Amino acid sequence: MPPALLLALIAFVTPYIHAGIAAWQKRNNTTDLPTPEQIRADFKAHGAAILAEGDAWDAEHPATASGARKSAARRKK
Amino acid sequence: MLTDRRFAVLCCGLLVAILFAGCAKAPPNLLPGDLAAFKADQAQVAIGTAQHAAIELNKIQACPSGPTSCHPFLSDANTRMVISVVRDGVNVLQAVPDGWQATSRKVIDTISQRLDAAGKTTFAAYLAAVTAVIDAIQ
């Protein structure tokens, strides 16, 4: 094959190969990574879980004396 | 002098190099808003880990000179402060995910400033770990 023809063939084919790779990457990533809906749901769920953990500790360790008495009574039950 | 065969090999090498350069590009897979939520989620999980560490350290009793001198590794006051700061941080992250970097750094800075001396000693390694995780999100 003449060298010039080979170069022309490469120049012609390369953009199509790149487009194919980009399409494959896009398809692959959307299947491997979480969807935007999953990301938003996880974001809210993780936030709620962190707040709940803090609230649970606060409920068991009230800062005021009256709260401490109530908490101690709740633990005795 | 290049023969046709060597030229063909050179062109094939060039083609492979071009293809690998194409593969190295990171594909854009998320919209900016979703990307911010994704990173903000990682940041809030990191600061949530700090809160979890504080609560677990508060459960552990240290008895330096006998059973009468027992106290939590991390005091109630320090633990309450960590929970309060993390709560504020999570609420801000949920409202403004785009500002996850500033918010998460502010949470870490505020915790490290408000810890008392004993708390700083106990909690420094955990704060350093959380900071490293937040830095890695970028």
Side-chain angles (χ1 to χ4, degrees):
Chain A
M1 183 183 285
L5 186 62
L6 192 59
L7 270 180
L9 183 66
I10 290 172
F12 179 75
V13 165
T14 300
Y16 291 98
I17 294 174
H18 273 208
I21 290 171
W24 176 80
Q25 283 177 327
K26 191 176 179 184
R27 190 173 65 245
N28 208 34
N29 280 321
T30 49
T31 52
D32 287 345
L33 292 174
T35 63
E37 291 77 20
Q38 284 174 322
I39 288 169
R40 287 193 287 268
D42 286 349
F43 182 43
K44 287 197 181 303
H46 291 155
I50 293 165
L51 294 178
E53 186 184 34
D55 289 344
W57 187 91
D58 271 344
E60 289 178 6
H61 301 78
T64 61
S66 64
R69 281 194 297 274
K70 285 178 189 173
S71 180
R74 193 167 53 240
R75 276 199 294 274
K76 278 182 183 175
K77 289 176 185 174
Chain B
M1 178 96 184
L2 288 175
T3 62
D4 279 0
R5 186 183 170 80
R6 283 184 181 173
F7 188 78
V9 170
L10 186 66
C11 287
C12 286
L14 191 65
L15 179 64
V16 170
I18 290 167
L19 290 177
F20 273 100
C23 291
K25 287 178 186 168
N29 46 47
L30 291 173
L31 295 171
D34 296 325
L35 190 62
F38 186 73
K39 291 184 175 182
D41 187 30
Q42 292 178 313
Q44 83 174 349
V45 168
I47 62 173
T49 305
Q51 174 183 271
H52 186 71
I55 290 172
E56 293 303 313
L57 286 170
N58 179 257
K59 287 179 186 170
I60 301 170
Q61 291 288 312
C63 305
S65 53
T68 53
S69 64
C70 290
H71 60 83
F73 257 126
L74 192 68
S75 69
D76 280 6
N78 280 326
T79 307
R80 185 170 292 108
M81 180 275 296
V82 170
I83 289 169
S84 171
V85 174
V86 168
R87 179 185 293 126
D88 291 345
V90 168
N91 284 331
V92 173
L93 282 172
Q94 291 285 330
V96 194
D98 286 334
W100 65 270
Q101 284 173 307
T103 305
S104 51
R105 285 185 197 289
K106 182 69 181 170
V107 166
I108 299 300
D109 289 347
T110 306
I111 290 173
S112 67
Q113 283 167 9
R114 292 187 186 171
L115 284 169
D116 60 24
K120 279 181 180 151
T121 307
T122 307
F123 211 55
Y126 297 90
L127 279 181
V130 171
T131 305
V133 171
I134 289 169
D135 287 343
I137 295 171
Q138 302 165 40

